[in-house]
Amino acid sequence: MPDPDRHRRIAVNESRFREINDRLADGLGSLRHPPEHLDFVCECAHLECRAKVSLTAAEYERVRADPMLFAIVDGHEVPDTEDVVARADRFTTVRKHRDVEDIVTATDPRAT
Amino acid sequence: MSEPPPSAVRDRLGERLVRAIASAQTHADGTDSLMQEAGRATGARVVVLWILDERARALRWAGDWGADADAQAFRDACRRITFAPGVGIVGEALEADDPVWKEVAAIPRATPALAAGLRAVVAAPLGGPDGPLGVLECFTASAEEPAPAVLEDLRLVTSQLAGYLGRLRIEERLQASEERSSSIVGAALDCIVAMDHRGRVLDFNPAAEATFGYARDAVVGEVLADLIIPPELRDAHHRSLSRYLETGEPTILNRRLELTAMRADGSTFPVELTVTRLGTRRPPTFAGFIRDLTANREAEVEHERLLREAMLSRAVAEAAQERSEAAQGATEAAQRRLMLLARAGERLIAGGDYERTMQEVAELAVPAVADWCAITVHEGRGVRRRVGTAPSGAPEPEAPEADRITVPLRTPRRAIGELALAMTGSGRRLEADDRAMAESLAARCALAVENGRLFAERSHIADTLQRSLLPARLPEVPGLDAAARYRAAGEHNLVGGDFYDFFRSGDGVWTAILGDVTGKGPEAAALTALTRHTLRAGALRESSPMANLQLLNEALLAARAHDASAARFATVVYTRICRSNGRVVVTVSTGGHMPPVVLRADGAIEYVPISGTLLGALEDVVLDEEEIELAPGDLMLLYTDGVTEARPREPRFGEQLLEQVLRDHLGAPAARVVEALEHAVVAAQEGEPRDDIALIAVRAID
C-alpha cells in the first residue's frame, strides 16, 4: 500500500542532497583544471548511505536540468518512490514519482 | 728637385695616416703608428699620449713612442704622473683646444726631459665630437718653436688620432654592452628566443636549450614555429605574425600569455610567453621570453585537487549530517510515539473517571505527536460527545487530509468513538507511523472507555444495592440524638461488608445494630441482607439482644448448609435502647464484635465490658448481655474495625484516635461526632481507607 508520507519524506531528503551537490558543482565550476569526472554525494534516500557518485560536468548538468531527476549509486533506488531512467557505469539516474513533484520542484535550487 | 707644395705633403701625410689606421692589426698598432707619424711631422724624439679619464677628470698616460732608447727614463717618468685639466702643459692643451708649445725647462718633467736631450714640447689636444679625448705631446731635441706648417701637420695627425680613438672607444662600449646583454641572456633562467620577421630563430639562450631540448646552433635559422609550437597552434602563430607585419597591429606583443609549448621530443607543456619587438628597425625582430609553467601548473593542479577534496569532504559531511538528522528525527519521533503510548498506558491503567482520563490522554498527545487531538465517544442514538480535547477547548482545525488522522475507538463488538490527530501550524507532518501509533492509542482508549463505562454501571448497581442494605435515614427518637455514617472502602462498584441498622423495635424501644460480614460484593450484600432481616425480624419478637444474636448464628449456619462453597461469618454488636421515665437504658450483646464505647458527659470514656463469639462459625456460641445507662449528655458509639484498625501496624492507634476524637467533641451532636471520626480515620490512612467504616452514635439528651 503506498505510503504518501514516506514518499514525501524521501523526496525532501533527496532534495537536500541535491542542494548540497549543486553547491559543490558551483565550487567545482570555478576550478581552472577540473578533472573529467567529478565526485558528488549520492542523492539516494537511504539514511545510512555515505557513497559518492562520479559524473562528468555535462552528465551532472543533464541530470540537474530536470528537477525530477536524481543521481544515485546503482542499487540505491527506492522502487516505490522513483523509477530508474538510466544506468551508467558510474551512476544511476532516477526519476521521482508524480506524487512528490510539488516537493522536488519547489526545492529545486535552480528553479526561479 | 723642388720641394712639393705643403698641400701635397699634407695629402701624403693623410694617406699615410689612413693606411696606418687601416693596416693596424690591433688598437695598439694603430695608436703607435699614429704617434710615430706625429713624431715625423714634428721632428719629435719622444711622443706621449694622454687620455682623459672622464670619471676621474684626469689625464693619464696611455702610450708613447720614442725615436731612440735614450729617452726611456723620461718615458718611464711620464707613466707615473697624471694631469688635471688646466694643469701643466698637458692640462693646458686639453683646455686650450689648440697646440701649446713650451721649452721643457718650463715644465715639471724638465729634469728627465733634459737628461734625455729633449728641449721643447708641443702639446696638441685630441678633440672628439663629444668633447676632448686627450692630449698628444711631442718632445723635440730642438728648442725652436714649431713652424705653422708643422703645427698644421700635427693638427691633422691629432685629428686622425682623435677619430681613431673615438671609434675605439665606441667599439669598446659596444662590446661591453654586447657582453653584458649576452651575459644576461645567457644567464637568464627564463627561455629567451629571438626571431626575425620570417619567423626564423635568431637566438636561443641556454635556458631555452635546456627547456626545449635543442642546441642553439641547431635551431638558429630554423622556423621557430616548427620547433617549439605544437602543430595545432602553428596556424594561429603564423596568422598573428602576418597580421602584425601587414598592419603593425600587435595582438600578442608585450602581453603575458599562457600557452602550450612543445619540446624537441614532441611532448607539450604549459608556458608563460611574453613577446616583444626588438628596437624599431625594419623588418622587425622579436624576442620571446618563455617561462616553463610545468611546476606551477602541477602545483596549481595539486592545489585544486586538494581544494576539490575539501569541497567534496564538506559536501559529504553535510550530506551525512542531513542523513543523521533525518535518522535522528525519525528516531525521536518513534521515541515520542512510544513515550506517549507508555504514558497514556499508565494513565489508562490507573482507571478512574474515564472522561478525565481521555482529556489527560489528549493532553499527552499534544504537542508530543500532533498539534491537535480530540477523543469523541458515541453515546447511542447517534449522539457523540467529545471527552478529550487538546489544546483544551480548541475547536476542530481545518487541516487538509494529509495533516489529519482519525481512527476509531473500537471494542471487540463495536466502534465506541474516535480519536483524531491533526497538524495545524507547527510545520510537522503526520506519517504512517503516526497512524499506527494512533490506532494503538485508540485501542487502549477504547478499552479504558469501555472499562470506565462498566465501572460506572457496576458502581451504580453497587451503590443502589448498598443503599438498600442501609437505612435511608435514622428515625427521629425522642430524647435521643442518633446519627450514622458509612463509607465503603476500595472499588465503588462493590458492596461493602460493614452494615448498620437502627429501627423501632417496640414501644419506647429502639434497636441499633452494627456489624461486619465476610466478603465483598454480591456475597456480602446477600449476607448483610440475611443478617439485617434476621435481626429485624427477631427484634420484633424477642427483646433479648443475646437471643437475637443466637438466632442470627443459627440462620448463618443454616445458610451455609445450603451452600457450603462460601464461608458466611459475621460480627455484630446489638444494642436495645429503652427510654422510659427519663432514663435511657441500653442492653448490649456482641457476637465477635468490638464493644460500644461510651463518652460520658464529664468526658470519661468507658468501653462496655462485653464480649461474644463470632457468628456463623460454630453452633455453640458464647454470648452475653450487659446493661448500661446513658445519662443526659452521654454518648454511645458503635463502630467497626475500619476505625480501630486504621493503622494495622500500630495496634493502639485506632482506639487512641477514636478516644481523642470523642474527647474533642464532648457535648457535640451525634452527627458531628461520627462525621469527625470518619474524617480522622480517613486522614490517618493517607488516602482511601483500606476497610469499610460504619459508625452509629446515640446521645442521650434531656
Side-chain angles (χ1 to χ4, degrees):
Chain A
M1 179 177 172
D3 179 354
D5 299 327
R6 179 171 157 274
H7 291 189
R8 297 179 77 81
R9 189 178 65 237
I10 288 173
V12 168
N13 287 346
E14 292 180 349
S15 297
R16 286 177 180 155
F17 305 141
R18 175 173 59 186
E19 288 175 25
I20 291 169
N21 277 342
D22 240 22
R23 286 200 297 275
L24 178 57
D26 274 351
L28 293 173
S30 66
L31 300 181
R32 293 185 64 193
H33 315 291
E36 181 182 2
H37 295 126
L38 303 169
D39 283 338
F40 295 91
V41 298
C42 177
E43 296 174 346
C44 79
H46 298 290
L47 297 181
E48 71 284 3
C49 177
R50 298 292 184 271
K52 287 170 273 193
V53 288
S54 183
L55 289 81
T56 65
E59 287 168 341
Y60 181 78
E61 288 305 315
R62 277 199 293 276
V63 173
R64 266 315 69 95
D66 184 341
M68 295 288 277
L69 298 183
F70 291 85
I72 63 171
V73 171
D74 189 32
H76 284 205
E77 59 270 22
V78 182
D80 63 328
T81 70
E82 57 206 10
D83 298 321
V84 173
V85 295
R87 286 190 202 277
D89 289 343
R90 288 168 279 104
F91 69 100
T92 289
T93 306
V94 294
R95 177 182 292 281
K96 301 302 296 178
H97 288 173
R98 286 282 178 198
D99 60 342
V100 294
E101 184 174 10
D102 58 336
I103 292 177
V104 296
T105 302
T107 56
D108 183 3
R110 300 190 180 194
T112 54
Chain B
M1 193 171 158
S2 60
E3 289 273 329
S7 59
V9 173
R10 196 155 296 120
D11 287 344
R12 285 198 294 275
L13 174 60
E15 289 171 5
R16 284 201 309 276
L17 293 174
V18 170
R19 276 200 300 273
I21 292 169
S23 62
Q25 295 295 314
T26 65
H27 297 158
D29 286 349
T31 306
D32 285 348
S33 296
L34 292 174
M35 284 192 292
Q36 188 175 353
E37 286 298 333
R40 284 180 63 182
T42 59
R45 306 296 300 168
V46 173
V47 177
V48 181
L49 176 61
W50 302 90
I51 296 297
L52 177 64
D53 181 344
E54 290 180 340
R55 281 188 293 184
R57 295 299 298 163
L59 287 152
R60 301 183 191 282
W61 179 92
D64 57 19
W65 170 86
D68 51 53
D70 296 340
Q72 189 59 46
F74 172 71
R75 290 163 68 180
D76 291 342
C78 290
R79 287 171 186 256
R80 293 191 291 270
I81 60 177
T82 60
F83 293 92
V87 176
I89 187 170
V90 176
E92 290 173 27
L94 183 76
E95 293 193 339
D97 199 25
D98 206 37
V100 176
W101 180 88
K102 285 187 180 181
E103 290 185 8
V104 295
I107 65 174
R109 290 168 288 168
T111 301
L114 291 171
L118 303 173
R119 293 292 179 268
V121 57
V122 58
L126 301 172
D130 299 324
L133 297 173
V135 172
L136 189 69
E137 283 183 310
C138 298
F139 289 87
T140 59
S142 169
E144 289 182 25
E145 192 169 353
V150 171
L151 292 177
E152 194 64 29
D153 288 345
L154 180 58
R155 289 190 186 96
L156 179 60
V157 173
T158 55
S159 170
Q160 288 295 325
L161 181 58
Y164 182 65
L165 291 175
R167 284 194 297 278
L168 286 182
R169 180 169 289 187
I170 290 170
E171 282 178 13
E172 284 172 357
R173 286 178 179 173
L174 278 174
Q175 187 175 356
S177 174
E178 282 180 3
E179 284 174 357
R180 281 197 301 274
S181 297
S182 179
S183 296
I184 291 169
V185 170
L189 295 175
D190 288 346
C191 307
I192 300 176
V193 178
M195 179 187 82
D196 66 13
H197 66 288
R198 298 169 304 167
R200 294 185 181 278
V201 176
L202 295 175
D203 202 354
F204 207 75
N205 79 338
E209 289 180 313
T211 300
F212 289 96
Y214 292 110
R216 179 182 183 280
D217 293 343
V219 297
V220 170
E222 298 295 324
V223 175
L224 179 66
D226 296 343
L227 298 171
I228 67 169
I229 298 179
E232 63 272 18
L233 300 178
R234 287 174 192 166
D235 282 349
H237 164 77
H238 292 311
R239 282 197 302 274
S240 176
L241 179 58
S242 297
R243 185 162 54 247
Y244 180 74
L245 294 174
E246 288 169 10
T247 67
E249 202 176 284
T251 52
I252 65 168
L253 288 186
N254 302 315
R255 288 169 52 200
R256 193 173 289 187
L257 306 171
E258 283 195 18
L259 299 169
T260 300
M262 186 178 73
R263 298 187 183 92
D265 62 5
S267 61
T268 59
F269 61 104
V271 296
E272 181 186 87
L273 169 68
T274 304
V275 179
T276 187
R277 181 174 171 174
L278 296 173
T280 57
R281 286 184 302 177
R282 288 188 172 277
T285 56
F286 307 91
F289 298 87
I290 302 166
R291 179 170 295 175
D292 184 352
L293 294 182
T294 300
N296 299 44
R297 181 64 53 84
E298 286 172 355
E300 201 172 65
V301 168
E302 177 64 6
H303 171 74
E304 289 198 352
R305 187 186 68 77
L306 295 173
L307 187 61
R308 252 189 1 260
E309 284 185 1
M311 288 192 287
L312 180 62
S313 296
R314 179 176 173 179
V316 167
E318 286 178 350
Q321 176 76 12
E322 289 285 354
R323 292 181 201 271
S324 174
E325 286 176 1
Q328 188 177 351
T331 302
E332 288 175 354
Q335 285 176 338
R336 283 197 300 275
R337 293 183 195 107
L338 287 174
M339 189 65 74
L340 170 62
L341 289 177
R343 287 180 177 166
E346 289 172 6
R347 187 63 199 86
L348 293 166
I349 289 169
D353 178 2
Y354 79 86
E355 293 189 17
R356 204 172 77 186
T357 302
M358 293 303 108
Q359 176 61 29
E360 290 176 0
V361 169
E363 288 171 357
L364 286 173
V366 177
V369 298
D371 297 338
W372 179 82
C373 175
I375 301 172
T376 305
V377 295
H378 302 169
E379 297 196 319
R381 297 187 188 90
V383 175
R384 294 163 186 262
R385 189 161 59 87
R386 186 160 290 166
V387 292
T389 309
S392 181
E396 186 166 346
E398 293 182 2
E401 199 60 32
D403 292 335
R404 172 191 294 274
I405 291 174
T406 302
V407 294
L409 268 57
R410 190 180 297 283
T411 68
R413 292 175 295 159
R414 61 197 169 99
I416 60 170
E418 294 91 32
L419 180 145
L421 298 174
M423 291 300 187
T424 56
S426 65
R428 297 180 296 175
R429 307 297 299 259
L430 288 167
E431 300 182 354
D433 289 343
D434 290 315
R435 174 170 291 279
M437 180 276 303
E439 288 171 348
S440 177
L441 183 60
R444 295 167 197 224
C445 287
L447 190 60
V449 169
E450 190 75 343
N451 286 341
R453 285 175 167 175
L454 287 173
F455 183 87
E457 192 175 335
R458 289 180 63 179
S459 294
H460 178 68
I461 292 170
D463 187 52
T464 302
L465 182 58
Q466 188 87 65
R467 278 190 278 110
S468 74
L469 297 174
L470 298 171
R473 58 184 174 80
L474 299 191
E476 294 284 336
V477 180
L480 292 178
D481 168 23
R485 200 82 180 176
Y486 182 87
R487 182 187 183 100
E491 302 289 346
H492 294 294
N493 58 349
L494 292 177
V495 174
D498 287 5
F499 69 95
Y500 69 89
D501 205 354
F502 194 104
F503 53 91
R504 183 172 180 275
S505 52
D507 190 15
V509 179
W510 302 84
T511 297
I513 57 176
L514 181 145
D516 186 4
V517 301
T518 53
K520 284 267 189 187
E523 294 79 9
L527 194 54
T528 300
L530 173 65
T531 301
R532 190 172 173 228
H533 295 143
T534 298
L535 293 177
R536 273 204 174 224
L540 296 176
R541 294 203 313 261
E542 173 58 58
S543 61
S544 166
M546 184 174 65
N548 280 324
L549 292 181
Q550 181 65 48
L551 179 65
L552 175 60
N553 188 58
E554 290 168 5
L556 293 174
L557 290 173
R560 199 168 89 178
H562 286 295
D563 180 7
S565 64
R568 291 180 170 82
F569 309 130
T571 66
V572 180
V573 59
Y574 188 119
T575 61
R576 182 173 185 270
I577 305 167
C578 295
R579 176 177 165 76
S580 64
N581 300 324
R583 295 178 61 211
V584 177
V585 177
V586 182
T587 305
V588 182
S589 184
T590 176
H593 202 88
M594 286 80 70
V597 62
V598 177
L599 172 65
R600 296 298 181 186
D602 60 1
I605 292 175
E606 299 170 2
Y607 288 89
V608 178
I610 186 87
S611 63
T613 310
L614 174 71
L615 303 176
L618 302 168
E619 288 185 5
D620 295 326
V621 291
V622 177
L623 300 170
D624 199 358
E625 281 186 353
E626 184 70 25
E627 189 174 277
I628 62 169
E629 182 172 347
L630 296 179
D634 289 349
L635 180 140
M636 177 183 70
L637 179 72
L638 310 183
Y639 54 95
T640 56
D641 57 3
V643 174
T644 54
E645 296 180 3
R647 291 186 180 175
R649 293 181 181 177
E650 300 175 57
R652 283 284 298 153
F653 176 83
E655 290 176 2
Q656 290 171 346
L657 178 66
L658 184 155
E659 292 169 9
Q660 185 61 49
V661 172
L662 290 177
R663 283 193 200 95
D664 291 345
H665 292 81
L666 183 63
R672 278 192 55 194
V673 173
V674 292
E675 181 185 15
L677 184 56
E678 180 193 341
H679 288 168
V681 171
V682 171
Q685 296 182 70
E686 298 174 348
E688 280 295 304
R690 287 173 291 276
D691 202 354
D692 301 337
I693 299 170
L695 301 166
I696 297 177
V698 178
R699 182 163 168 271
I701 56 179
D702 290 333

